[in-house]
Amino acid sequence: MTASIDFAPLIAKAEELGKRFALTARHYDETGEFPFANFDALHEAGLLGLVTAVEHGGLGGGLTEALAVVSAIARGEPSTALVLSMHYNQHYSIRASGKWPKHLVERVTKANREGVALINAAQVEPRVGSPSHGTPPETVARRIGNEWRITGHKTYATGIPLLRWISVLAITDEPEPRLGSFLVPTSADGIRVEKTWNATGMRATNSDDLILDDVAIPLEDVLDIAPASEGIKRDERLGAWYFSLVPAIYDGAARGARDWLIEFTTSRAPASLGAPLSTVPRIQDGLGQIEVWLTVNRRLLRSIAEDFDAGRPFGADAAAVKHTVMENAVAVTTLALELGGNPGISRDNPLERHHRDALSGKAHAPQNNLIRTMLARAALGRHASSPAAVLEPVPVRPHPQPRLAVVGRG
């Protein structure tokens, strides 16, 4: 795996940056501005190359290291963490999927070494929605000479102000259409960004709409292209990165809520009480429940990351972990608001922001109802395919009387 590199100092640096990013998180939440400075700091710390292959100038970190870094950043500023997680997702795919042509690998990793050159995928569309629902995209790639000309409309292009590259899901207009991801530089002619992101939480991700109008890219700048009739092929193991890093962001927001609540209840001592709020049994019980949820989250996320890095199977467990961690994060911030009272809902304090950020996690596909349906169908399928065994009952017999030990003879 990654035993030759000591990642502890980098993770410590990420924890320090998370605390620094927390100091300006309110500004980015209120203005909706993109946190450019945060990514300058991440680059200077060497964290943008955390999971990039060593032979391409990266550190070769695994999911365990990525999870630790994203969690630390999310605790301070979740929008930055979401953009970073998408960058990690793409760079690990470059390294491990085997689907990236060599010239694209060189191009993207070289830019990542030299500066802040983020990458993300654009797959969701206004009419079609997420490709996870099975409908092919309406974004079309037309072959003209030695170029692809791409036209379409993508939504939720997270991090678009700082993206250097976008992996655009599109369908070709060939007699037998093919489906693939086309690597589009954001500097290309024909690209336009529509400022549509005005969400309740995660306001600094700038997940705006991307309009492509006859955007030209070289014919060879495409990856993982196959007949559209085969649908999108997902690498189930690589899916662990999405199912771990995305919920870790909202778990980070919940931990930020917990941190504020502890500071508030230990420092606030109402005159009528004559002691800090943290001495009240109801407050202690609530804080204890929050610790239970966060402990479960930490253990679940870590288990998937460690299983992935060790090459152990985990099947649909990763989706179940995403479901549980997201629900627990919302539960934590909801209870924290209840315990925080009026100061908790004040925009002068970060608790209400942490709650809004945690709620935003519910929008990530696949939504929890789809995960539950998938798990239910899998369970029903296992039941239907397993032959009914004829079991013989274990015979019942009376318990034998114990023999009395003879002691103290003579």
Side-chain angles (χ1 to χ4, degrees):
M1 201 180 76
T2 53
S4 60
I5 297 177
D6 180 11
F7 287 96
L10 276 169
I11 293 171
K13 182 64 177 177
E15 291 171 350
E16 175 195 327
L17 287 177
K19 293 174 182 176
R20 283 176 50 192
F21 295 168
L23 301 177
T24 52
R26 177 180 174 181
H27 167 79
Y28 292 119
D29 175 71
E30 291 180 347
T31 63
E33 295 175 9
F34 189 79
F36 292 98
N38 291 358
F39 288 93
D40 290 336
L42 288 166
H43 173 66
E44 291 166 8
L47 289 169
L48 294 184
L50 179 73
V51 306
T52 307
V54 173
E55 60 266 30
H56 293 295
L59 299 173
L63 183 51
T64 302
E65 290 77 33
L67 178 64
V69 169
V70 167
S71 296
I73 300 302
R75 198 161 169 176
E77 208 292 282
S79 291
T80 299
L82 179 59
V83 178
L84 179 63
S85 75
M86 300 301 178
H87 181 73
Y88 284 167
N89 238 319
Q90 293 296 313
H91 271 268
Y92 192 82
S93 176
I94 290 171
R95 168 181 154 194
S97 70
K99 297 176 180 178
W100 282 72
K102 185 177 180 180
H103 72 284
L104 294 184
V105 173
E106 294 290 343
R107 185 185 305 169
V108 173
T109 57
K110 180 176 184 292
N112 195 54
R113 290 193 301 272
E114 294 175 348
V116 180
L118 302 182
I119 181 172
N120 196 1
Q123 298 190 339
V124 183
E125 296 184 356
R127 280 174 25 94
V128 173
S130 169
S132 63
H133 299 301
T135 304
E138 294 180 340
T139 300
V140 175
R142 295 178 297 116
R143 181 173 178 171
I144 300 179
N146 61 351
E147 292 180 331
W148 291 108
R149 295 296 184 100
I150 305 170
T151 298
H153 184 172
K154 298 294 186 182
T155 56
Y156 309 124
T158 296
I160 188 63
L162 204 50
L163 296 184
R164 179 79 64 87
W165 321 98
I166 307 171
S167 177
V168 176
L169 182 69
I171 192 167
T172 68
D173 69 344
E174 299 164 309
E176 295 185 6
R178 291 183 293 167
L179 193 62
S181 294
F182 298 77
L183 190 68
V184 177
T186 54
S187 59
D189 292 336
I191 285 183
R192 178 166 53 89
V193 174
E194 284 190 0
K195 296 291 292 179
T196 55
W197 186 245
N198 190 23
T200 299
M202 303 295 289
R203 292 181 50 75
T205 64
N206 282 221
S207 301
D208 294 312
D209 284 17
L210 179 71
I211 312 299
L212 302 102
D213 183 10
D214 205 33
V215 176
I217 65 169
L219 203 62
E220 62 272 16
D221 287 6
V222 63
L223 51 129
D224 196 23
I225 190 166
S229 59
E230 297 178 4
I232 297 177
K233 296 179 180 178
R234 303 286 192 189
D235 187 316
E236 290 187 4
R237 280 197 61 79
L238 288 183
W241 281 69
Y242 177 83
F243 283 125
S244 298
L245 297 186
V246 167
I249 292 154
Y250 302 99
D251 174 70
R255 290 177 189 278
R258 184 272 313 272
D259 294 344
W260 180 86
L261 185 63
I262 287 179
E263 174 63 27
F264 171 71
T265 57
T266 54
S267 60
R268 179 68 66 92
S272 58
L273 183 62
L277 288 172
S278 57
T279 62
V280 176
R282 182 179 73 88
I283 300 294
Q284 292 181 354
D285 180 73
L287 283 169
Q289 178 60 67
I290 286 173
E291 290 302 303
V292 169
W293 284 321
L294 293 179
T295 299
V296 169
N297 281 4
R298 183 180 69 249
R299 287 288 183 174
L300 289 177
L301 290 168
R302 185 185 298 171
S303 70
I304 295 297
E306 291 176 351
D307 281 351
F308 179 90
D309 288 339
R312 293 188 292 264
F314 46 80
D317 290 1
V321 166
K322 172 186 178 290
H323 181 296
T324 303
V325 171
M326 295 286 205
E327 290 295 303
N328 286 354
V330 172
V332 166
T333 59
T334 301
L335 180 54
L337 278 178
E338 179 183 332
L339 298 175
N342 282 327
I345 62 173
S346 170
R347 289 178 61 86
D348 291 333
N349 295 318
L351 184 54
E352 59 85 27
R353 167 166 48 86
H354 293 313
H355 181 60
R356 289 187 283 108
D357 286 341
L359 284 173
S360 300
K362 288 181 172 290
H364 285 280
Q367 279 79 24
N368 283 351
N369 66 301
L370 292 178
I371 291 175
R372 290 193 296 270
T373 299
M374 176 191 73
L375 295 173
R377 288 175 176 170
L380 292 169
R382 289 193 300 271
H383 174 76
S385 62
S386 57
V390 179
L391 301 177
E392 293 292 334
V394 176
V396 177
R397 61 183 182 184
H399 194 281
Q401 292 296 321
R403 294 180 181 178
L404 298 177
V406 180
V407 293
R409 243 181 228 187

